[in-house]
Structures are given as C-alpha cells and as structure tokens.
Amino acid sequence: MRAHLRSLEAKLFEQAVRNTRSSLERLLAPDFREIGSSGRLYGFEEIITALLQEPADGTTRTLTDFEIQPLAANVMLATYRSERTAPDAPSVRSLRSSIWRRDADGIWRMVFHQGTPAL
C-alpha cells in the first residue's frame, strides 16, 4: 500500500500529469480541498485550473521520508518532505500531508492536501 500511494503522490510531481486534466481527475477526488502555504483554501476546480496553467519551465520536484497511516478502512494519511527546484531560483522545501481515499470504483484519489514551508 505504501509503495502504491507513494507512486500516486509522485505522479502529481510530473509536469505531464500536472498539465493533463484527465490525469488530474483520476488522481484528485471531485471533493478535493487544499490548504496552500498562503493559508488559502482551494477547491478541485481551482487546483485543476492552476495546475493546467503551470509552465513547463524545467522545475523538478522530489519526495522523501514518505509515510502512511490508516485513518479508516479506505482512507490513508500520507506525510512526506518535498523539494522543488526551479532553474535560476533557490530550492523550496516543504512538509506535506495528503489524505487519500479508495473510492467505490476501487481507485485511490486524493481528497485533501496541505504543504507547509520547511526550514
């Protein structure tokens, strides 16, 4: 289970996935919510729109220290560290948490995400 959910999180780091609506819809639940580092709450459509508009600028993202904890039979909490590196910009490190739910169709989809800048 850990490896599967880690691979789903990692897919969301891929520019091709971030720029393809059908890929995002497969990974994010329709009731998805995100609390951004600004403290703002985003919904499904806002996140989809923002990700589809991201430029392919050579930014890379890495994921480390991935852990999961069951919250219910079909619900898992994932926590990890990430680093975003863009050309000609300092790296940005974050602590991240996501809640994944296995929906009625058997597919795991993210229902919540939060990233907090790490020192």
Side-chain angles (χ1 to χ4, degrees), residues 12-16 18-19 54-62 83-92:
L12 287 165
F13 283 15
E14 298 172 14
Q15 195 66 49
R18 295 169 78 85
N19 291 149
E54 274 188 355
D57 63 0
T59 296
T60 59
R61 294 167 176 84
T62 57
E83 185 171 0
R84 183 180 73 228
T85 306
D88 302 320
S91 294
V92 176

Side-chain angles (χ1 to χ4, degrees), residues 4 8 25-27 74 100-110:
H4 179 65
L8 295 177
E25 288 175 344
R26 185 160 176 85
L27 291 166
N74 291 315
W100 289 86
R101 177 183 66 214
R102 185 171 37 213
D103 287 338
D105 60 4
I107 296 174
W108 285 92
R109 290 185 179 87
M110 186 185 290

Side-chain angles (χ1 to χ4, degrees), residues 1-14 17 23 26-28 63 66 80 98 100-101 106-110:
M1 179 57 55
R2 182 182 174 279
H4 179 65
L5 290 177
R6 187 185 191 289
S7 73
L8 295 177
E9 286 279 359
K11 283 181 190 265
L12 287 165
F13 283 15
E14 298 172 14
V17 170
S23 296
R26 185 160 176 85
L27 291 166
L28 304 178
L63 182 158
F66 187 83
Y80 60 96
S98 302
W100 289 86
R101 177 183 66 214
I107 296 174
W108 285 92
R109 290 185 179 87
M110 186 185 290

Side-chain angles (χ1 to χ4, degrees), residues 3-118:
H4 179 65
L5 290 177
R6 187 185 191 289
S7 73
L8 295 177
E9 286 279 359
K11 283 181 190 265
L12 287 165
F13 283 15
E14 298 172 14
Q15 195 66 49
V17 170
R18 295 169 78 85
N19 291 149
T20 307
R21 185 175 185 95
S22 60
S23 296
L24 292 169
E25 288 175 344
R26 185 160 176 85
L27 291 166
L28 304 178
D31 55 341
F32 174 82
R33 298 289 181 266
E34 178 172 334
I35 298 175
S37 59
S38 64
R40 182 168 178 234
L41 180 63
Y42 298 91
F44 178 81
E45 280 301 327
E46 291 170 294
I47 289 298
I48 296 279
T49 299
L51 292 174
L52 292 175
Q53 294 174 359
E54 274 188 355
D57 63 0
T59 296
T60 59
R61 294 167 176 84
T62 57
L63 182 158
T64 59
D65 301 330
F66 187 83
E67 297 179 18
I68 61 170
Q69 179 176 348
L71 300 178
N74 291 315
V75 181
M76 291 284 193
L77 170 66
T79 57
Y80 60 96
R81 294 179 180 273
S82 71
E83 185 171 0
R84 183 180 73 228
T85 306
D88 302 320
S91 294
V92 176
R93 292 181 180 95
S94 301
L95 299 174
R96 298 191 170 271
S97 60
S98 302
I99 297 176
W100 289 86
R101 177 183 66 214
R102 185 171 37 213
D103 287 338
D105 60 4
I107 296 174
W108 285 92
R109 290 185 179 87
M110 186 185 290
V111 294
F112 176 80
H113 183 75
Q114 181 170 3
T116 303

